[in-house]
Amino acid sequence: MSEAPLQPAGSTRPAQPKPNAVVAVLALSGITVSLMQTLVIPIVPELPKYLNASASNAAWAVTATLLAAAVATPVAGRLGDMFGKRLMLLVSLVLLVCGSVVAALSDTLVPMIVGRALQGLAAAVVPLGISIMRDELPPERLAGSTALMSASLGVGGALGLPAAAFIADHYDWHVLFWTSAALGVVAFALVMLLVPESKVRSGGRFDAVGAVGLAVGLVSLLLAVSKGADWGWASGTTLGLFALAVVVLLAWGFFELRTARPLVDLRTTVRRQVLFTNLASIAFGFSMFAMSLVLPQLLQLPTQTGYGLGRSMLTVGLVMAPQGLVMMAFAPLSAAITKAKGPKVTLMIGAVIVAAGYGLNIVLMSEVWHLILVSCIIGAGVGFAYGAMPALIMGAVPASETAAANSLNTLMRSIGTSVASAVAGVILAQMTISLGGTTLPSENGFKVVMAIGAGAAVLAFVLASFLPGRRPAETESVPAPAAPAAESVH
């Protein structure tokens, strides 16, 4: 695809951006946005009462965020490449604040869904932040910084759960959303003050038809995956949505291949390095989310089952929190291995660690410390993998397409988590026991989910093995931030 001239960013760019400040602010922004994943988990059982709605309707407060994020991530990434990554980062944070305020003011279902959807529209902050790092940081800082930024997805989710559980236990549930609004305002102000706008722009006309087509296809697919268990996998609605997704996405791909400035450059996405990184991302998204579904249930199920630990939601949050800290702690090690051996090796190491963590979980699940250990091991593996993925993507696409490519990679992870939720839900609904007249997931059901999580990590390892090996001086080939003329070599 021909590249449009790269446009200067204007006079708002500081002459000497401070790398440490840029990294800290972008990581904080990523953590703030990833908090939205776990923000409502402690109050999900109470949402029907809070919103005066049925349980199935109240579940849309979760589904709306998923669907909005899926649509917004690739669109915001492309707009960032065209008009400025910092600009789209700020827009995303504004949407986060607006959504948080709407949700904080809501007492009925519709405004809550609107607020949660607006929060989901901010999901592109992490890929946009990684792309800003590529443009602004010196090459020797890039691997470690992008690994940290990528890990912020897990860090925010893990740390947010105990914080949200504490707030929900001690304060009115609206405080959850006022807190997220305040964090969004802080992140916005820091980005305005400390993060420069990149000079790397692709320009061109926005592919509105491609954006609508991708939105319709993704919403149809994810809606069928996320609601299929409620509607019935063989129901006309579910099958119709799957069929619509297939037809629309095929037509969308046909259109994208024939437009001059596509929303997603499919010719780039089928390059071996991009394609297998994205496929591995789906597998990793599946594998990581399987743990997020299993461990909280094991901790909260009553001890009378023989395998449940009968703990509170706050305890669940405290057990899961170390995982996020481990992900952040392993980011520098992930970067060091990437620098020494290449991101392919880092990704494969991460897959092995995650698979080992799930294997250990199958035999160690009877004590709280067992689950803390397992979550930390899996968190370490995910930290390795999530640190390697941006390096693999950025090593295969021109700088003028970095935000779009990283956004698509983030979307692949989200698809993996959605599929994991559906698969685990089906398994746990089929493999059950009865306790006091209540149907609960069985111990073997959890073990099957964990085995599938291990299998997904092994699949990610196999996919990563097809990635091209590291070329000589690969780390030095990353274009310097202030040299836009060098970006057209791809």
Side-chain angles (χ1 to χ4, degrees):
M1 185 185 73
S2 61
E3 292 294 330
L6 301 175
Q7 302 297 325
S11 59
T12 60
R13 176 188 172 93
Q16 294 293 331
K18 299 176 181 178
N20 290 338
V22 170
V23 172
V25 170
L26 292 177
L28 173 64
S29 300
I31 290 171
T32 299
V33 170
S34 63
L35 287 172
M36 300 310 107
Q37 299 173 357
T38 52
L39 186 69
V40 298
I41 289 179
I43 63 171
V44 163
E46 305 297 326
L47 275 179
K49 179 180 71 176
Y50 292 153
L51 303 175
N52 193 27
S54 66
S56 59
N57 286 337
W60 283 98
V62 177
T63 306
T65 308
L66 166 71
L67 299 180
V71 173
T73 302
V75 171
R78 181 66 185 137
L79 289 171
D81 283 332
M82 292 174 64
F83 304 116
K85 303 174 185 73
R86 175 178 177 267
L87 172 62
M88 291 311 302
L89 181 63
L90 290 169
V91 169
S92 297
L93 290 170
V94 167
L95 291 171
L96 171 65
V97 173
C98 290
S100 299
V101 171
V102 170
L105 294 172
S106 66
D107 287 304
T108 55
L109 181 63
V110 172
M112 172 61 79
I113 292 175
V114 171
R116 290 288 291 160
L118 287 170
Q119 287 182 322
L121 292 177
V125 162
V126 171
L128 287 168
I130 291 171
S131 304
I132 291 172
M133 287 176 175
R134 182 184 190 182
D135 295 344
E136 300 303 325
L137 300 182
E140 65 274 10
R141 292 289 306 274
L142 187 58
S145 299
T146 56
L148 179 63
M149 186 70 191
S150 192
S152 70
L153 279 168
V155 173
L159 298 183
L161 190 56
F166 178 82
I167 292 172
D169 283 347
H170 293 84
Y171 302 97
D172 180 82
W173 64 275
H174 294 91
V175 175
L176 288 169
F177 296 101
W178 287 120
T179 302
S180 66
L183 288 171
V185 170
V186 171
F188 180 91
L190 291 174
V191 171
M192 283 287 292
L193 289 171
L194 298 172
V195 177
E197 181 59 276
S198 170
K199 288 182 178 179
V200 181
R201 307 278 186 85
S202 64
R205 179 185 299 176
F206 180 67
D207 178 18
V209 174
V212 172
L214 183 61
V216 172
L218 286 175
V219 168
S220 301
L221 174 64
L222 294 176
L223 200 53
V225 168
S226 61
K227 304 295 284 186
D230 294 334
W231 296 338
W233 292 105
S235 71
T237 302
T238 303
L239 295 177
L241 284 170
F242 276 127
L244 179 62
V246 171
V247 171
V248 170
L249 289 174
L250 285 174
W252 171 80
F254 184 84
F255 175 82
E256 292 293 280
L257 288 171
R258 283 157 179 77
T259 189
R261 300 292 297 175
L263 178 74
V264 177
D265 187 345
L266 295 179
R267 292 179 177 84
T268 298
T269 62
V270 296
R271 293 176 185 170
R272 185 167 58 143
Q273 186 159 321
V274 178
L275 176 63
F276 281 98
T277 301
N278 283 334
L279 291 175
S281 296
I282 296 174
F284 262 108
F286 184 106
S287 192
M288 181 182 178
F289 201 66
M291 178 197 61
S292 301
L293 292 167
V294 168
L295 265 59
Q297 293 192 63
L298 283 174
L299 284 162
Q300 290 183 283
L301 283 173
T303 56
Q304 291 88 337
T305 60
Y307 52 89
L309 299 178
R311 303 304 176 111
S312 67
M313 176 57 74
L314 181 58
T315 302
V316 172
L318 294 173
V319 168
M320 301 290 285
Q323 179 202 25
L325 299 176
V326 168
M327 288 180 67
M328 182 172 288
F330 272 79
L333 180 57
S334 169
I337 294 175
T338 294
K339 185 175 181 179
K341 301 294 184 180
K344 172 183 176 177
V345 173
T346 310
L347 184 60
M348 295 176 77
I349 291 173
V352 170
I353 295 173
V354 171
Y358 276 111
L360 191 64
N361 199 183
I362 292 174
V363 296
L364 290 181
M365 53 184 291
S366 59
E367 302 286 345
V368 171
W369 73 265
H370 291 171
L371 302 186
I372 295 174
L373 175 64
V374 166
S375 69
C376 287
I377 292 172
I378 294 175
V382 172
F384 273 103
Y386 277 19
M389 288 171 189
L392 286 162
I393 293 295
M394 291 188 293
V397 302
S400 58
E401 296 178 14
T402 302
N406 278 322
S407 296
L408 184 63
N409 182 250
T410 301
L411 175 62
M412 294 301 105
R413 302 184 211 178
S414 298
I415 290 174
T417 62
S418 300
V419 174
S421 178
V423 170
V426 169
I427 292 169
L428 296 179
Q430 296 297 319
M431 303 181 69
T432 61
I433 63 168
S434 180
L435 180 67
T438 303
T439 300
L440 299 171
S442 69
E443 182 179 13
N444 285 335
F446 289 119
K447 290 183 176 181
V448 168
V449 173
M450 288 184 281
I452 293 175
V458 171
L459 175 61
F461 178 90
V462 173
L463 291 168
S465 71
F466 288 98
L467 289 165
R470 182 183 179 188
R471 295 183 295 273
E474 182 177 322
T475 55
E476 287 76 17
S477 66
V478 179
E487 310 296 355
S488 60
V489 297
H490 295 266

